[in-house]
Amino acid sequence: MCGIAGWIDWQGDLSDQGAIIAQMAETLQQRGPDSHGHWVSRHAALAHQRLIVIDPLTGGQPMVYQDGDRTYAITYNGEMYNFRELRHELEGYGHTFRTRSDTEVLLHAYVEWGEACVQHLNGIFAFGLWDEQKQQLLLARDHVGVKSLYYAHRGSAILFGSELKALLAHPLVKPEVDATGLAEILTFVRIPGSGIYRNVHELRPGHMLICSEQGTRMSRYWSLRSAPHTDDLYTTAAHIRGLLEDTVKHQLIADVPIVTLLSGGLDSSGLTAMAAKELQHEGRELHTYSIDFVNSAQHFQSTPLHPSLDAPWVKRVSEYLGTHHHTITLENSALVESLLVPLHAHDFPTAGQMTSSLYLLFQAMKQDATVALSGEAADEVFGGYPWFHSEAALSGQTFPWTPAFLGPGKNPLAWLSADLLQKVQLTEHIDQQYRAAIAEVPRLEGEDPLAARRREMFYLNQTRFLPFLLERKDRMSMATGFEARVPFCDYRLVEYAWNIPWEMKMADDIEKGILRRAFASVLPEDVIRRKKSAYPNAQNPLYEKATREWALNILHDPNAPIHPFLDAQVVRALVESTDAGVPGIGLVSLPERLIQINEWLDTYQITLAL
């Protein structure tokens, strides 16, 4: 994994603009701490920060390939899992290679197939490829959106980067946020393709953008398609198992130590079992990692999202599979100290300790390894969350996870000022984005109303909730120079599972029943039957006390930039309330939100265009 940045200007001369492109790349140093480089021609400047995973000696970037009088340059972030097969295919067409890297394979794939090269890729990627002869830039992002890519048009120029901070480092991009961007931050309802900042965009998953002096052309190269599912239960489970075995095998390819995350839940346990089996064939022991919190058992309270502690199940699975397990136990003080890490990694306010704790986990893992397999997307693909099984959620007309982010009650945004609510129209924003998402759902002709509604629910989760989790995983891993791979995001599995009917996904009358059947041969029965438990949090009153005091200090500071956002009387009462920030009630507490928003307004020097 790496950090990429680029600056194209068809009407300007960038030949001596190496300092600015290097400045853009330097903001991404944490994504690629091992090496860096940049390449500049008259109208194109590309930069790269490298995290070495494959081909440490000759895989440096930006990578340039010359074929006669044609020059191609690429800056690439990600992993192409089928690069060995593609290399063999391209060699059959006469291509020769000087490195062992997947980057060079991608360059040659473009030479062979042009823009259609993305149709041949299986991996997680975001890249910018400059065709010097055509004076054309190709930006592309992986099928499901594991790797991020932002871009902005400014006059005759286009700028792009792995993270927003790379764009903000360029003098043409200002930290301006309009009402729509602010609504996205305050509601956690993002608009696909939005980059939060004014006139900044995020390339959507499964899309590519072709840019030339004549203009830009957006193209979607992959999407979900609805069709009748014709496989029986046994064949379906076997096919899922085969896809996952192949995916795990390919995602274990690395020239650096590779491990797995293990929570003791179905998803991570199944992947760990497959990875352990694969490594055993090579005579290697698998190392596994889990997160825990000081005094977690003492403070644990069962909730619908967290019905059980992970620790006993982690021990059960590790011993069963014979892995070398490491438990990373986090102190309360470390959680408080790292609360602002997610803000600076995302470049806008986001969730609190559920994100900062992940950063601390990866920070500890980085001491031993560079790559980990993780279980994200299984719940979105196979229907594991409680709201998939809730009549209220199925009959509702909004995003079912909204209360978990905004808090319970009929008016969870009451802490905001009346003036801000009038200008930003948060409720209307949520409704509008919900309707836009529903309008995109690929329908299946003849499907009964309940099945059609469930299809909507899956679409909402895969295109609106999963991006939050993938963005979180990318930023927190990359903030420590660590790579997280997500086998359940293999587009072949996502495509196949999309059309599996609900009754089959609920095989044996349990959530993700079909996935449990797929893992039945590699996990013990009690693990197979364990109820879904979400990523853990520290249900520690000391954390709640510390963040509440921090938030109150902000409220007492007359110069705090957040004040115009707030209904002072309401917000103070809420923060002083004993349950204002109790972990477990929601995915982010009010004090965490206040702290991050205030810091963002201050350190990013945000200009609001309301």
Side-chain angles (χ1 to χ4, degrees):
M1 296 301 169
C2 308
I4 66 172
W7 175 15
I8 311 297
D9 193 335
W10 290 271
Q11 296 180 18
D13 188 345
L14 305 183
S15 303
D16 15 345
Q17 297 295 336
I20 291 180
I21 191 68
Q23 180 178 302
M24 293 173 68
E26 189 177 349
T27 67
L28 304 172
Q29 193 273 338
Q30 79 286 351
R31 294 184 71 94
D34 297 328
S35 67
H36 61 89
H38 65 270
W39 175 87
V40 179
S41 68
R42 184 176 181 184
H43 298 300
L46 306 180
H48 194 264
Q49 291 285 158
R50 189 181 185 205
L51 174 66
I52 295 175
V53 174
I54 292 175
D55 192 7
L57 297 179
T58 60
Q61 294 187 51
M63 187 174 286
V64 180
Y65 173 62
Q66 289 190 289
D67 182 18
D69 61 350
R70 304 193 66 167
T71 300
Y72 311 90
I74 189 172
T75 183
Y76 162 70
N77 168 34
E79 302 293 343
M80 194 192 312
Y81 301 127
N82 65 335
F83 79 98
R84 291 177 174 174
E85 294 89 338
L86 271 180
R87 176 178 175 139
H88 180 73
E89 182 179 358
L90 289 164
E91 285 174 336
Y93 296 141
H95 293 259
T96 58
F97 296 85
R98 59 180 179 82
T99 76
R100 296 187 299 107
S101 72
D102 55 349
T103 308
E104 188 181 17
V105 172
L106 179 51
L107 263 178
H108 282 259
Y110 175 80
V111 173
E112 182 66 32
W113 296 301
E115 299 162 10
C117 65
V118 293
Q119 300 285 354
H120 298 259
L121 309 181
N122 183 348
I124 52 178
F125 55 83
F127 65 84
L129 193 156
W130 175 252
D131 187 324
E132 182 76 15
Q133 185 185 55
K134 287 186 176 181
Q135 291 287 290
Q136 177 179 287
L137 173 71
L138 170 63
L139 297 177
R141 190 176 178 202
D142 65 74
H143 303 71
V144 182
V146 179
K147 295 287 105 182
S148 57
L149 185 57
Y150 295 94
Y151 66 95
H153 296 277
R154 293 294 185 271
S156 60
I158 184 168
L159 308 157
F160 67 89
S162 296
E163 296 180 12
L164 288 162
K165 56 177 59 67
L167 301 185
L168 292 169
H170 194 285
L172 290 176
V173 180
K174 307 299 181 185
E176 300 172 333
V177 178
D178 60 20
T180 300
L182 193 55
E184 293 183 79
I185 287 170
L186 294 174
T187 63
F188 290 96
V189 175
R190 294 280 298 279
I191 301 172
S194 166
I196 297 291
Y197 293 89
R198 196 176 192 181
N199 296 323
V200 174
H201 310 282
E202 183 177 23
L203 190 62
R204 292 189 69 172
H207 283 68
M208 57 182 175
L209 187 69
I210 300 93
C211 312
S212 68
E213 189 171 10
Q214 287 69 46
T216 60
R217 173 169 53 88
M218 185 74 72
S219 176
R220 186 172 189 172
Y221 68 86
W222 181 81
S223 61
L224 292 167
R225 297 184 179 180
S226 297
H229 183 76
T230 57
D231 291 342
D232 62 20
L233 183 62
Y234 175 83
T235 304
T236 300
H239 190 69
I240 291 169
R241 181 169 58 253
L243 283 172
L244 284 169
E245 287 172 343
D246 181 70
T247 299
V248 168
K249 180 177 181 179
H250 279 81
Q251 295 195 19
L252 288 173
I253 297 172
D255 292 332
V256 293
I258 189 165
V259 301
T260 69
L261 290 168
L262 177 62
S263 70
L266 176 72
D267 314 330
S268 65
S269 298
L271 295 181
T272 295
M274 289 180 170
K277 182 179 180 181
E278 190 65 32
L279 292 184
Q280 284 168 4
H281 292 157
E282 304 172 14
R284 293 194 286 160
E285 180 184 44
L286 178 65
H287 286 246
T288 52
Y289 289 78
S290 64
I291 191 170
D292 202 355
F293 304 92
V294 172
N295 298 325
S296 59
Q298 175 185 337
H299 298 297
F300 179 74
Q301 299 176 34
S302 178
T303 70
L305 282 176
H306 304 97
S308 61
L309 280 167
D310 285 345
W313 294 97
V314 168
K315 184 174 185 292
R316 170 78 168 111
V317 175
S318 177
E319 290 178 350
Y320 182 84
L321 299 176
T323 73
H324 187 125
H325 189 72
H326 312 255
T327 299
I328 308 301
T329 304
L330 303 183
E331 296 278 354
N332 183 69
S333 58
L335 287 171
V336 177
E337 290 166 7
S338 63
L339 178 55
L340 294 177
V341 170
L343 162 66
H344 293 291
H346 287 76
D347 300 302
F348 54 81
T350 182
Q353 64 136 313
M354 71 168 292
T355 301
S356 56
S357 63
L358 192 61
Y359 163 78
L360 293 170
L361 172 61
F362 285 128
Q363 187 180 58
M365 293 172 68
K366 176 66 175 178
Q367 298 176 25
D368 306 320
T370 306
V371 181
L373 302 190
S374 180
E376 262 78 11
D379 290 306
E380 289 77 13
V381 170
F382 292 101
Y385 293 119
W387 48 72
F388 277 99
H389 312 271
S390 162
E391 290 297 327
L394 285 171
S395 60
Q397 294 299 310
T398 191
F399 300 105
W401 52 84
T402 296
F405 280 102
L406 301 186
K410 293 183 178 180
N411 191 11
L413 297 167
W415 54 278
L416 294 167
S417 71
D419 180 60
L420 185 73
L421 290 171
Q422 182 180 14
K423 289 178 179 177
V424 182
Q425 301 287 305
L426 300 179
T427 302
E428 291 80 356
H429 171 79
I430 295 172
D431 292 343
Q432 183 179 3
Q433 293 312 310
Y434 174 78
R435 291 194 300 271
I438 293 298
E440 293 176 1
V441 177
R443 305 292 178 178
L444 180 62
E445 187 176 352
E447 199 165 43
D448 69 66
L450 180 57
R453 177 55 181 164
R454 291 198 188 280
R455 190 177 293 275
E456 290 178 352
M457 185 71 79
F458 275 97
Y459 191 82
L460 292 175
N461 277 266
Q462 291 182 34
T463 64
R464 299 312 194 268
F465 188 68
L466 180 59
F468 164 78
L469 295 179
L470 294 179
E471 185 176 67
R472 164 179 170 262
K473 183 58 65 73
D474 173 75
R475 297 303 189 281
M476 294 302 96
S477 59
M478 290 281 88
T480 66
F482 194 87
E483 176 182 319
R485 298 178 176 179
V486 279
F488 286 109
C489 286
D490 187 294
Y491 78 91
R492 301 169 301 165
L493 179 66
V494 175
E495 287 181 338
Y496 184 73
W498 172 250
N499 287 308
I500 298 174
W502 176 252
E503 294 73 21
M504 196 176 285
K505 284 174 177 168
M506 280 285 291
D508 307 312
D509 199 29
I510 188 171
E511 79 273 1
K512 296 188 291 190
I514 191 66
L515 184 59
R516 295 174 194 274
R517 285 202 172 202
F519 283 144
S521 62
V522 295
L523 292 174
E525 178 64 21
D526 55 341
V527 177
I528 289 290
R529 303 295 297 184
R530 185 192 177 192
K531 290 284 291 181
K532 162 72 183 174
S533 189
Y535 178 84
N537 56 10
Q539 298 178 342
N540 190 327
L542 292 178
Y543 178 82
E544 179 266 330
K545 181 175 182 291
T547 54
R548 181 192 297 167
E549 290 176 352
W550 189 347
L552 286 172
N553 286 336
I554 292 171
L555 296 178
H556 289 141
D557 178 3
N559 298 316
I562 196 175
H563 279 303
F565 280 44
L566 308 176
D567 183 317
Q569 185 174 354
V570 172
V571 76
R572 189 180 300 276
L574 286 172
V575 173
E576 290 176 347
S577 167
T578 55
D579 64 356
V582 175
I585 289 180
L587 296 177
V588 55
S589 71
L590 179 56
E592 289 174 328
R593 304 201 70 189
L594 297 175
I595 292 164
Q596 289 198 57
I597 293 171
N598 190 71
E599 177 75 8
W600 175 64
L601 293 169
D602 185 26
T603 61
Y604 281 73
Q605 291 295 289
I606 299 299
T607 299
L608 295 175
L610 302 181

